[in-house]
């Protein structure tokens, strides 16, 4: 049985995969080998309407303690990468049994997002590294774990198996448990009502990676966390596939932003008139500069071209930090009459 929507050849990325022992799921840099066994063909056809769960078996491979199958449910998820019909593989949601029944590294998890290679593994790996970069800036950000995923399709007359690269993404409930913060539900929160230091750190990071696909008001690719009801929320970003740092072939800026390409940088924060308010945040980025470069220069996973692209994109950002007039023009863009800095993108109200 053929898998649907496999229009692109996905290059294999080869790593040395070490056994996983009693570590937490996101506490190790080792690539996790997992196998999903079930009706893969039917799963990947579920690309419209409300997605439905299908029964699967999850197996942890390359384990010293054996390889026991864990019954889980799996469904497709997302909007753009699922419903627009652009991806070779739609993103998946893994739904585990009751938390107390999950063995080993999955103990305590209810659901996990599995990011799949939409248009090839190179763009998936670029997005993975953006999450790693944000962890340098803010350890409270969502953590990720690379996986080598074997899909074993048992839905047809003849079983079919293929292996590809993906990454697991920490869910917000796990971040709440890890950080001790609480999740702000769907209350209407304006950008200026968030913690200013955390907001500027997040919005300058979005500028660094060239991402405009986010919104505080409409929770577009943003979680809000806070210490208590009386504290200002802290924004935590996710979903970076439309960032210039990823430069996925399907990624385009929203027409309302009047931008030529996602690699063009546009500051999407709210209007901050006093440039002195940015100084501590910009100094934080300068302080982490070597760590950002080391992340990419030290990669044994990205190929040479992707490392070069990422370094050049970082170069442009840090060069900008040394150009006060140009930087001020960029950061004050939302303050200009008629600017698209805070324009509401069509569809976010829904």
């Amino acid at each position: 049985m053929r898998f649907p929507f496999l229009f692109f050849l996905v290059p294999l990325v080869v790593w040395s995969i070490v056994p996983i022992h009693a570590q937490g799921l996101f506490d190790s840099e080792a690539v996790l080998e997992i196998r999903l066994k079930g009706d893969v063909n039917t799963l990947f056809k579920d690309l419209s309407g409300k997605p439905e769960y299908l029964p699967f078996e999850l197996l942890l491979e390359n384990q010293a303690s054996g390889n026991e199958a864990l019954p889980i449910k799996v469904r497709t998820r997302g909007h753009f990468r699922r419903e627009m019909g652009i991806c070779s593989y739609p993103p998946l949601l893994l739904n585990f049994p009751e938390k107390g029944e999950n063995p080993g590294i999955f103990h305590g998890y209810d659901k996990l997002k599995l990011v799949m290679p939409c248009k090839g593994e190179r763009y998936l790996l670029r997005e993975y590294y953006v999450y790693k970069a944000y962890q340098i800036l803010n350890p409270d950000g969502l953590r990720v774990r690379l996986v080598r995923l074997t899909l074993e399709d048992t839905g047809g007359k003849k079983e079919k198996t293929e292996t590809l690269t993906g990454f697991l993404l920490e869910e917000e409930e796990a971040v709440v448990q890890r950080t001790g913060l609480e999740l702000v539900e769907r209350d209407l929160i304006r950008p200026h009502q968030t913690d200013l230091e955390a907001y500027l750190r997040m919005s300058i990071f979005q500028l660094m990676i060239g991402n405009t696909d986010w919104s505080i008001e409409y929770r577009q690719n943003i979680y809000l966390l806070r210490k208590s009801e009386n504290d200002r929320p802290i924004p935590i970003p996710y979903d970076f596939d439309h960032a210039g740092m990823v430069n996925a072939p399907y990624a385009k800026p929203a027409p309302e932003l009047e931008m030529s390409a996602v690699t063009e940088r546009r500051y999407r924060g709210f209007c901050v008139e006093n440039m002195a308010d940015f100084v501590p945040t910009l100094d934080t980025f300068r302080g982490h500069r070597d760590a950002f470069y080391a992340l990419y220069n030290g990669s044994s996973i990205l190929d040479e071209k992707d490392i070069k692209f990422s370094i050049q994109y970082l170069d442009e950002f840090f060069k900008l930090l040394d150009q006060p007039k140009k930087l001020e023009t960029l950061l004050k863009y939302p303050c200009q009459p008629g600017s698209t800095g805070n324009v509401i993108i069509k569809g976010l109200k829904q």
Side-chain angles (χ1 to χ4, degrees), residues 263-284:
T263 49
E264 177 186 348
R265 284 188 168 93
R266 170 70 55 79
Y267 183 64
R268 287 272 287 151
F270 65 85
C271 173
V272 177
E273 291 281 4
N274 188 357
M275 282 298 295
D277 291 336
F278 287 102
V279 171
T281 301
L282 298 177
D283 286 344
T284 296

Side-chain angles (χ1 to χ4, degrees), residues 29-49:
E29 295 295 322
V31 181
L32 184 66
E33 277 193 294
I34 63 176
R35 178 180 292 261
L36 285 178
K37 184 177 181 180
D39 191 347
V40 177
N41 189 62
T42 298
L43 175 69
F44 284 168
K45 286 180 178 178
D46 189 0
L47 299 176
S48 62

Side-chain angles (χ1 to χ4, degrees), residues 14-270:
V14 180
W15 298 296
S16 174
I17 303 176
V18 300
I20 310 301
H21 300 293
Q23 301 152 315
L25 178 58
F26 295 101
D27 294 333
S28 172
E29 295 295 322
V31 181
L32 184 66
E33 277 193 294
I34 63 176
R35 178 180 292 261
L36 285 178
K37 184 177 181 180
D39 191 347
V40 177
N41 189 62
T42 298
L43 175 69
F44 284 168
K45 286 180 178 178
D46 189 0
L47 299 176
S48 62
K50 184 178 179 180
E52 296 190 9
Y53 281 110
L54 293 176
F56 272 77
E57 288 185 349
L58 184 149
L59 297 93
L60 279 173
E61 302 190 319
N62 202 26
Q63 300 292 289
S65 60
N67 189 3
E68 296 181 1
L70 178 65
I72 67 171
K73 296 182 292 184
V74 182
R75 67 168 175 82
T76 55
R77 64 176 182 86
H79 171 62
F80 187 87
R81 286 192 251 194
R82 172 180 177 255
E83 297 183 2
M84 299 301 290
I86 59 160
C87 287
S88 303
Y89 302 87
L92 301 177
L93 183 66
L94 311 183
N95 190 338
F96 291 85
E98 293 297 326
K99 293 183 180 181
E101 299 178 6
N102 299 342
I105 58 175
F106 294 116
H107 182 75
Y109 286 97
D110 179 23
K111 296 182 178 68
L112 282 171
K113 292 179 179 179
L114 179 57
V115 182
M116 303 286 280
C118 176
K119 289 286 189 180
E121 293 183 355
R122 69 181 306 177
Y123 303 107
L124 176 134
L125 292 174
R126 287 184 183 183
E127 185 178 9
Y128 167 81
Y129 270 87
V130 173
Y131 280 100
K132 301 297 285 185
Y134 191 71
Q135 277 285 312
I136 293 172
L137 189 66
N138 183 5
D140 289 344
L142 302 181
R143 297 185 296 176
V144 287
R145 180 72 179 270
L146 273 178
V147 300
R148 287 299 288 166
L149 171 67
T150 298
L151 295 169
E152 186 175 342
D153 188 5
T154 60
K157 294 181 180 179
K158 185 177 180 181
E159 290 189 5
K160 180 176 180 178
T161 300
E162 67 172 324
T163 301
L164 49 82
T165 302
F167 65 83
L168 293 169
L169 177 61
E170 191 177 32
E171 280 277 75
E172 66 269 28
E173 291 86 355
V175 178
V176 167
Q177 185 176 6
R178 172 167 59 88
T179 62
L181 302 173
E182 64 180 35
L183 184 67
V184 181
E185 300 299 338
R186 300 298 296 187
D187 329 13
L188 178 60
I189 302 291
R190 302 293 184 184
H192 65 273
Q193 295 175 313
T194 63
D195 179 273
L196 181 61
E197 179 184 357
Y199 179 85
L200 293 180
R201 186 171 60 224
M202 181 276 301
S203 58
I204 295 296
F205 179 81
Q206 302 277 27
L207 178 68
M208 183 180 83
I209 65 171
N211 190 34
T212 59
D213 187 26
W214 61 277
S215 167
I216 296 291
E217 295 96 325
Y218 299 103
R219 301 295 203 280
Q220 175 75 358
N221 300 330
I222 292 286
Y223 293 131
L224 294 179
L225 304 175
R226 62 188 174 194
K227 294 180 180 179
S228 71
E229 191 173 347
N230 297 323
D231 291 301
R232 287 177 173 264
I234 298 169
I236 302 293
Y238 64 96
D239 270 12
F240 302 115
D241 64 311
H242 277 67
M245 194 70 147
V246 177
N247 200 22
Y250 58 81
K252 296 180 180 180
E256 294 85 349
L257 298 180
E258 301 174 5
M259 295 169 58
S260 59
V262 292
T263 49
E264 177 186 348
R265 284 188 168 93
R266 170 70 55 79
Y267 183 64
R268 287 272 287 151
F270 65 85

